[in-house]
């Protein structure tokens, strides 16, 4: 799970996508890619296997990245709903 402000998440996704491109061009090795991967190591291993398979078969890699906004409430104000 990635959490944070929208601008921070955009930067994380952009850096992640750039690291995939750099890995495919040979600018990064597996350890470099792993250090830039924003998820846990179990998911990384599955991702790496898929990425390498796409390289071998010369098929495109499709990433579906999505999220949902959440709101954090920091205080509550009591407002009467009805007047007596």
């Amino acid at each position: 799970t990635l959490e944070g402000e929208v601008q921070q998440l955009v930067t994380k996704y952009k850096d992640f996508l750039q690291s995939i491109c750099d890995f495919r061009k040979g600018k990064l090795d597996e350890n470099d890619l792993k250090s830039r991967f924003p998820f846990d190591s179990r998911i990384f291993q599955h991702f790496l296997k898929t990425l390498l398979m796409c390289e071998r078969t010369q098929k495109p890699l499709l990433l579906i990245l999505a999220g949902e906004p959440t709101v954090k409430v920091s205080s509550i104000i009591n407002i009467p709903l009805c007047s007596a």
Side-chain angles (χ1 to χ4, degrees):
T1 301
L2 288 179
E3 296 178 0
E5 298 293 322
V6 171
Q7 190 57 47
Q8 293 170 337
L9 295 176
V10 168
T11 300
K12 286 181 183 180
Y13 277 129
K14 182 189 79 59
D15 292 345
F16 172 52
L17 294 173
Q18 183 63 53
S19 67
I20 293 170
C21 293
D22 290 345
F23 178 77
R24 294 180 82 182
K25 292 177 184 176
K27 294 180 181 179
L28 296 178
D29 65 18
E30 184 178 322
N31 289 326
D32 293 328
L33 181 62
K34 186 176 183 177
S35 71
R36 291 166 171 81
F37 191 72
F39 304 105
D40 67 34
S41 60
R42 180 185 58 82
I43 296 172
F44 175 77
Q45 290 304 317
H46 182 70
F47 167 75
L48 181 62
K49 218 183 285 186
T50 302
L51 181 60
L52 294 173
M53 182 181 65
C54 289
E55 289 290 307
R56 275 194 315 276
T57 60
Q58 296 183 336
K59 292 191 177 181
L61 174 67
L62 172 64
L63 296 176
I64 300 173
L65 306 171
E68 62 182 69
T70 58
V71 177
K72 181 179 178 182
V73 177
S74 59
S75 64
I76 297 174
I77 301 172
N78 284 328
I79 300 174
L81 296 176
C82 300
S83 302

